[in-house]
Amino acid sequence: MKITIITGSAHKNGTTAYLTEQFIKGAEEAGHKIFRFDAAFKDVHPCIACEKCHGDAKVCVFKDDMTELNPHLLESDAIVLISPIYYYDINAQLKTVIDRFYANDALLHGGKKAVLMLTMADDTIESAEGALASFKGMTNFLEWDVAGTVVGVNCWTLDMLKKTDYPEKAYQLGKSL
Ligand SMILES: Cc1cc2nc3c(=O)[nH]c(=O)nc-3n(C[C@H](O)[C@H](O)[C@H](O)COP(=O)(O)O)c2cc1C
C-alpha cells in the first residue's frame, strides 16, 4: 500500500514528529511505501477560491510545493494527517494543504483510507472536538474510510508524550493499515 503522510508542526523533534516516526516504523514493517510531506517546511499558498481549478484551466493558479505533493495524493491508498492542536483545531500549516485538495476534488473522491493523529497540552479530548469534527466531515465528503485516529491528550512536550501509550498506538496503527 502507498501511504502519504502530511504533517503540520514546525517542531522537528516535537510530539507529532515522534508520533509520525512511530507510525512510519509500523507501516514500513508492514511493507507499506511512505511519502512524507512536512507542510511547515514547504511553500504552499492558501487557496484563494479563484475557481480556476474548477474552470477551463483545470489546474491551480499557484505553482508551489503542492505540485510535489499532488501526484502522491492521487496515487496513495491511504492519507495520514498529523497535527498539534492549535486553538482547538489542526494547525494552519496542515489546513492550508487540505484546502488545496480542492483543485483535485473529483480525482480524490473514494477509494482511500484516512488517518488522523493529534497531540495537545490539555488533558481533555474535548479540546480536539473541532479537529475531529472537520476530519469526519472531510472524510465523509471525500468518501474515504477512516482507518483510525490517535488523539494524544496531556502531551504538551515530547517528554510527556513518551510517558504515554500514544507512540505505541501510532506504531500499531501504521502496522495495521
Ligand atoms: C499556537 C499554539 C496553540 C495551541 N493551542 C492549544 C490548544 O488549543 N489546546 C491544547 O491543548 N494545546 C494547545 N497547544 C499546545 C500544543 O498542541 C502541544 O504543545 C503539542 O504537543 C505541540 O505539538 P508539536 O510538538 O508536534 O509541535 C498550542 C500550542 C501552540 C504553539
Side-chain angles (χ1 to χ4, degrees):
M1 187 186 285
K2 182 163 178 190
I3 302 174
T4 289
I5 297 175
I6 311 169
T7 71
S9 178
H11 287 158
K12 286 189 172 165
N13 296 306
T15 58
T16 49
Y18 195 70
L19 288 188
T20 305
E21 285 158 25
Q22 295 307 305
F23 180 92
I24 290 173
K25 189 167 170 256
E28 286 184 339
E29 280 175 20
H32 302 309
K33 234 181 128 199
I34 308 290
F35 174 74
R36 176 174 174 170
F37 188 86
D38 293 311
F41 303 98
K42 300 289 184 180
D43 172 30
V44 179
H45 197 285
C47 174
I48 57 166
C50 66
E51 299 289 344
K52 292 277 193 313
C53 61
H54 289 184
D56 291 343
K58 295 256 186 291
V59 288
C60 182
V61 293
F62 296 113
K63 304 293 171 236
D64 55 21
D65 288 338
M66 285 302 289
T67 55
E68 178 197 358
L69 176 62
N70 279 333
H72 295 279
L73 271 181
L74 296 173
E75 281 168 18
S76 285
D77 308 290
I79 309 294
V80 180
L81 306 174
I82 307 177
S83 178
I85 289 289
Y86 281 5
Y87 291 96
Y88 307 93
D89 212 332
I90 59 168
N91 79 349
Q93 290 90 334
L94 178 59
K95 183 65 165 70
T96 302
V97 170
I98 293 171
D99 287 352
R100 293 281 300 279
F101 288 4
Y102 192 67
N104 291 300
D105 254 358
L107 295 171
L108 284 172
H109 263 271
K112 293 190 195 299
K113 293 185 178 197
V115 167
L116 177 68
M117 299 205 290
L118 303 165
T119 61
M120 58 182 156
D122 291 344
D123 62 2
T124 163
I125 200 160
E126 284 166 24
S127 299
E129 276 176 0
L132 291 166
S134 18
F135 181 66
K136 189 174 170 215
M138 175 193 154
T139 49
N140 276 346
F141 170 70
L142 289 171
E143 297 171 291
W144 293 355
D145 296 325
V146 176
T149 57
V150 175
V151 183
V153 302
N154 203 15
C155 294
W156 190 17
T157 63
L158 183 55
D159 283 347
M160 291 165 83
L161 174 84
K162 282 185 173 174
K163 290 184 186 122
T164 71
D165 64 352
Y166 301 124
E168 175 65 17
K169 283 184 173 158
Y171 167 75
Q172 292 298 342
L173 186 52
K175 212 168 173 166
S176 70
L177 268 198

